């Protein structure tokens, strides 16, 4: 590994860190992913494409009866949506969503921007309805539009109520409590369109007789094991499991709903306005990869904004991205397993929950999350955007490669179904996604080695500072995950589960102190202000508690 930590002769805090240590690695991954994605694209360009003129799909959507009345209602609703979108845009621009300096402001701005982008698509569909009265929106797209209109209305009411009633609060505590409730309600409102689409799809599948309960029960054990493995990827400081669960929830609910709604809205617009030709067919191939990877990346970005203290580098971003991908994969596997036309529940479970659970969406989201985490250590804003763009490009190219070739390559093999499912299919999945699995494992290894080298420097400086939070005798144990585990096992044998957990908290507090030193030494942008004295006091309190427990046990 190339040394990114450049030292000087002073041997202490004079050490400097490279401002963007992972930029070239992530850019190389993007180049490799782009080259691999050219293979299915070139194969597609060599084949003829069916041509259908614009408007040729109108009959498939049905024709409305009362044209004049329907045009008036569609026009009124279009104007109403436009006004609400303008209010939402002003709220985002003028930071009406929360206090300007509050961290939650960025979160609400991102979520409101997603709602505004979805509302723009709703407006375009409504405009087509207004111009072409015979055009009928598909049922799922209509559910998304209705939920989007309700979300906009609720958002405008919350924003208006906060601005009109702000002066009526009797004290600061009531004002803070009301602001917090408004922010939570606004965040929920922004997710309404995706939740509505998800509920609509689940309701339709249940009515058709799909066994979703069995699919959920089959997928839960493998998903729980994979989520535990993703959390254990962090060999030093680990983010709280609740943050990983929040990312899982975003992937399972919001990202899945938006991943269903946005392609449906695009299809209803493109087929009506452009028809079907080679250009539309090419865009269709990239439609699902682009939309799904973007909405999953938004979830990682929100985690990085809300949990700024925990998502600070490549490793933490990669873990957050993998958690979002696991949530998306869980719900998508549930739908594929319950659908009768997808080869059966056991076949889909084997492909998506056993063979490919750490591949597919987990690998793609991990690559995008790694780029977002690495961007937290980049000072130049343009370079930061370039790093995130390279990570997203790698994820999109991998997703496109898999979607394009996984249905073509099996046609080359003529074997029995058991041999195909147990031997051929796993080999094909590894062939297509092996390079991307290797990419995110190499990124994880690189990030862990970088963390280890930095923690060795910063914890040694803390041990030499004269405080009792970290001592020189503790450094070999803190910097070696295997020795930390053996020491915790010894504590469990001597003092039981309580001693094991208390020692684990002590190690995490000491590693957290070292990471805080590291980010301050790097002068990372957007780093959270930390109180080192408070963290040292927490470590010393944990040490005192351990000593008291040991004395009582003896």
């Amino acid at each position: 590994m190339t040394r990114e930590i450049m030292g000087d002769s002073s041997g202490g805090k004079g050490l400097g860190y490279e401002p963007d240590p992972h930029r070239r690695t992530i850019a190389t991954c993007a180049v490799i992913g782009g080259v691999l994605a050219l293979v299915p694209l070139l194969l597609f360009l060599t084949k003829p494409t069916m041509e259908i003129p614009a408007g040729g799909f109108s009959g498939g959507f049905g024709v409305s009866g009362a044209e004049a009345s329907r045009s008036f209602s569609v026009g009124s609703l279009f104007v109403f949506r436009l006004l609400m979108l303008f209010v939402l845009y002003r709220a985002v621009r003028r930071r009406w969503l929360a206090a300007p300096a509050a961290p939650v402001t960025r979160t609400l701005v991102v979520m409101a921007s997603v709602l505004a982008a979805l509302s723009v698509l709703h407006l375009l569909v409504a405009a087509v309805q207004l111009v072409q009265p015979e055009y009928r929106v598909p049922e799922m797209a209509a559910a998304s539009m209705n939920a989007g209109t309700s979300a906009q209305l609720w958002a405008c009411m919350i924003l208006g109520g906060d601005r009109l009633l702000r002066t009526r609060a009797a004290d600061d505590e009531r004002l803070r409590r009301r602001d917090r409730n408004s922010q939570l309600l606004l965040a929920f409102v922004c997710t309404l369109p995706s939740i509505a689409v998800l509920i609509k799809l689940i309701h339709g599948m249940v009515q058709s007789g799909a066994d979703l309960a069995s699919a959920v029960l089959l997928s839960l054990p493998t998903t729980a094991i994979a989520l535990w493995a993703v959390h254990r990827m962090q060999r030093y400081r680990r983010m709280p499991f609740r943050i990983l669960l929040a990312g899982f929830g975003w992937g399972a609910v919001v990202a899945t709903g938006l991943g269903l709604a946005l392609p449906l809205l695009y299809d209803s617009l493109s087929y009506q306005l452009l028809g079907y030709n080679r250009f539309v067919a090419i865009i269709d191939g990239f439609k699902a990869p682009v939309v799904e990877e973007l909405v999953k990346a938004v979830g990682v970005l929100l985690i990085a904004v809300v949990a700024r203290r925990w998502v600070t580098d490549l490793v933490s971003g990669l873990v957050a991205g993998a958690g979002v991908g696991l949530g998306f994969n869980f719900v998508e596997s549930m739908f594929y397993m319950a659908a009768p036309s997808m080869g059966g529940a056991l076949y889909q479970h084997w492909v998506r929950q056993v063979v490919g659970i750490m591949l597919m969406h987990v690998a793609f989201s991990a690559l995008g999350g790694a780029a977002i985490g690495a961007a937290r250590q980049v000072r130049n804003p343009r370079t930061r955007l370039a790093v995130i763009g390279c990570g997203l490009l790698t994820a999109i190219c991998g997703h496109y490669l898999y979607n394009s070739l996984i249905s073509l390559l099996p046609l080359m093999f003529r074997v029995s179904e058991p041999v195909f499912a147990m031997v051929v299919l796993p080999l094909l999945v590894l062939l297509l996604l092996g390079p991307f699995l290797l990419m995110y494992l190499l990124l994880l290894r690189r990030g862990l080695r970088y963390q280890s080298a930095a923690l060795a420097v910063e914890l040694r400086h803390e041990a030499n500072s004269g405080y009792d939070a970290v001592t020189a005798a503790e450094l070999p144990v803190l910097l070696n995950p295997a020795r930390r585990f053996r020491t915790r096992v010894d504590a469990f044998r001597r003092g039981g589960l309580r001693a094991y957990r208390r020692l684990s908290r002590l190690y995490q507090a000491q590693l957290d102190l070292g990471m805080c030193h590291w980010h301050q030494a790097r002068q990372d942008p957007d780093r959270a202000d930390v109180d080192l004295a408070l963290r040292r006091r927490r470590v010393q309190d944990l040490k005192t508690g351990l000593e008291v427990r040991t004395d009582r046990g003896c």
Side-chain angles (χ1 to χ4, degrees):
M1 174 184 170
T2 305
R3 284 180 61 87
E4 288 100 7
I5 302 180
M6 290 82 71
D8 58 12
S9 58
S10 61
K13 295 295 276 189
L15 285 171
Y17 295 96
E18 187 176 342
D20 45 2
H22 309 295
R23 178 187 59 181
R24 294 180 181 177
T25 307
I26 294 175
T28 303
C29 292
V31 172
I32 296 173
V35 171
L36 291 175
L38 286 177
V39 176
L41 182 60
L42 293 176
L43 288 176
F44 177 79
L45 292 176
T46 59
K47 295 183 177 181
T49 304
M50 178 178 61
E51 301 282 344
I52 299 178
F57 293 88
S58 297
F61 297 126
V63 179
S64 176
E67 301 292 348
S69 174
R70 182 171 178 271
S71 298
F72 176 77
S73 61
V74 168
S76 303
L77 193 57
F78 176 82
V79 174
F80 185 58
R81 284 174 174 150
L82 188 62
L83 290 174
M84 290 192 297
L85 182 62
F86 176 74
V87 173
L88 194 60
Y89 167 78
R90 296 282 291 181
V92 171
R93 285 294 303 270
R94 293 181 176 271
R95 299 293 191 270
W96 294 350
L97 304 167
V104 74
T105 304
R106 298 181 181 180
T107 306
L108 294 177
V109 164
V110 172
M111 298 187 72
S113 300
V114 172
L115 176 60
L118 187 62
S119 301
V120 170
L121 279 178
H122 293 165
L123 277 176
L124 292 176
V125 174
V128 174
Q129 282 185 295
L130 189 61
V131 175
Q132 300 179 3
E134 72 280 2
Y135 170 67
R136 178 62 62 87
V137 182
E139 189 175 1
M140 293 289 291
S144 172
M145 293 177 64
N146 293 334
T149 303
S150 301
Q152 283 183 286
L153 180 60
W154 276 104
C156 292
M157 291 174 62
I158 294 169
L159 293 170
D162 278 354
R163 290 185 64 81
L164 292 175
L165 302 177
R166 182 168 294 275
T167 57
R168 297 187 181 182
D171 51 30
D172 292 339
E173 181 61 30
R174 284 188 58 189
L175 181 62
R176 283 194 298 269
R177 186 167 59 249
R178 194 185 64 197
D179 285 346
R180 183 174 62 251
N181 294 337
S182 298
Q183 290 158 9
L184 291 174
L185 185 59
L186 189 59
F188 172 75
V189 162
C190 291
T191 63
L192 272 182
S194 57
I195 295 174
V197 171
L198 207 58
I199 292 174
K200 182 72 175 177
L201 180 60
I202 292 174
H203 180 261
M205 294 186 72
V206 170
Q207 281 191 328
S208 65
D211 191 2
L212 289 174
S214 298
V216 171
L217 292 177
L218 275 174
S219 301
L220 273 177
T222 50
T223 302
I225 294 172
L227 200 61
W228 174 83
V230 166
H231 191 250
R232 300 294 295 183
M233 285 179 180
Q234 307 164 96
R235 301 186 66 187
Y236 300 102
R237 186 180 70 163
R238 292 192 176 102
M239 69 172 66
F241 199 73
R242 64 180 182 273
I243 298 177
L244 199 60
L245 285 178
F248 181 87
W250 175 275
V253 178
V254 183
T256 307
L258 290 175
L260 290 169
L262 291 174
L264 283 172
L265 292 169
Y266 165 78
D267 287 343
S268 62
L269 283 173
S270 64
Y271 293 164
Q272 185 68 18
L273 300 178
L274 303 176
Y276 192 81
N277 49 49
R278 185 175 294 275
F279 172 75
V280 175
I282 293 174
I283 300 300
D284 279 351
F286 284 96
K287 173 183 60 184
V290 170
V291 170
E292 292 177 6
E293 298 311 319
L294 283 178
V295 295
K296 287 187 291 183
V298 169
V300 181
L301 184 62
L302 287 176
I303 294 174
V305 170
V306 175
R308 296 168 57 199
R309 177 170 158 247
W310 297 104
V311 183
T312 54
D313 59 354
L314 185 145
V315 174
S316 54
L318 187 147
V319 169
V324 174
L326 271 174
F328 193 98
N329 184 72
F330 174 75
V331 175
E332 192 176 70
S333 300
M334 179 183 70
F335 289 148
Y336 275 78
M337 291 166 63
S341 61
M342 300 304 294
L346 292 179
Y347 170 77
Q348 288 295 331
H349 182 268
W350 169 251
V351 175
R352 308 183 65 86
Q353 288 291 316
V354 178
V355 175
I357 190 166
M358 298 303 288
L359 302 171
M360 299 184 186
H361 290 291
V362 175
F364 306 145
S365 301
L367 290 169
I372 293 174
R376 291 296 306 272
Q377 296 181 316
V378 177
R379 298 185 181 90
N380 190 329
R382 292 185 179 180
T383 307
R384 196 184 307 177
L385 291 176
V387 169
I388 295 175
C390 287
L392 288 177
L393 179 62
T394 309
I396 290 169
C397 289
H399 201 153
Y400 173 72
L401 176 71
Y402 180 79
N403 284 3
S404 302
L405 296 184
I406 195 61
S407 58
L408 297 178
L409 291 181
L411 301 178
M412 301 169 58
F413 300 90
R414 298 187 179 276
V415 294
S416 62
E417 289 188 3
V419 173
F420 174 79
M422 300 300 296
V423 178
V424 176
L425 187 62
L427 291 177
L428 289 178
V429 172
L430 287 176
L431 175 66
L432 293 176
L433 298 180
F436 299 92
L437 172 66
L438 187 63
M439 284 180 197
Y440 89 78
L441 290 180
L442 287 177
L443 284 173
L444 176 64
R445 179 174 178 269
R446 179 184 175 87
L448 288 174
R449 292 183 65 180
Y450 193 66
Q451 276 188 357
S452 175
L455 282 172
V457 172
E458 300 301 335
L459 288 175
R460 189 173 297 112
H461 171 77
E462 175 67 24
N464 295 332
S465 64
Y467 298 100
D468 294 331
V470 179
T471 62
E474 293 172 326
L475 290 179
V477 178
L478 286 173
L479 298 174
N480 190 322
R483 292 188 63 177
R484 288 204 312 271
F485 176 72
R486 288 195 298 268
T487 307
R488 290 198 299 267
V489 171
D490 292 339
F492 176 76
R493 290 172 178 172
R494 292 194 304 268
L497 182 61
R498 181 173 295 181
Y500 177 91
R501 297 176 67 178
R502 186 176 287 271
L503 186 60
S504 298
R505 286 197 294 268
L506 172 63
Y507 286 158
Q508 285 299 309
Q510 290 174 319
L511 292 171
D512 189 25
L513 178 61
M515 294 289 281
C516 293
H517 274 297
W518 179 34
H519 295 302
Q520 284 195 349
R522 282 184 52 87
Q523 298 180 350
D524 286 340
D526 296 330
R527 65 187 187 278
D529 295 330
V530 293
D531 188 353
L532 294 178
L534 181 63
R535 302 199 182 283
R536 290 191 183 105
R537 195 178 310 121
R538 171 172 170 75
V539 172
Q540 291 165 355
D541 290 343
L542 287 171
K543 283 187 173 184
T544 304
L546 277 175
E547 292 172 0
V548 170
R549 295 285 176 186
T550 304
D551 293 341
R552 289 179 180 177
C554 294

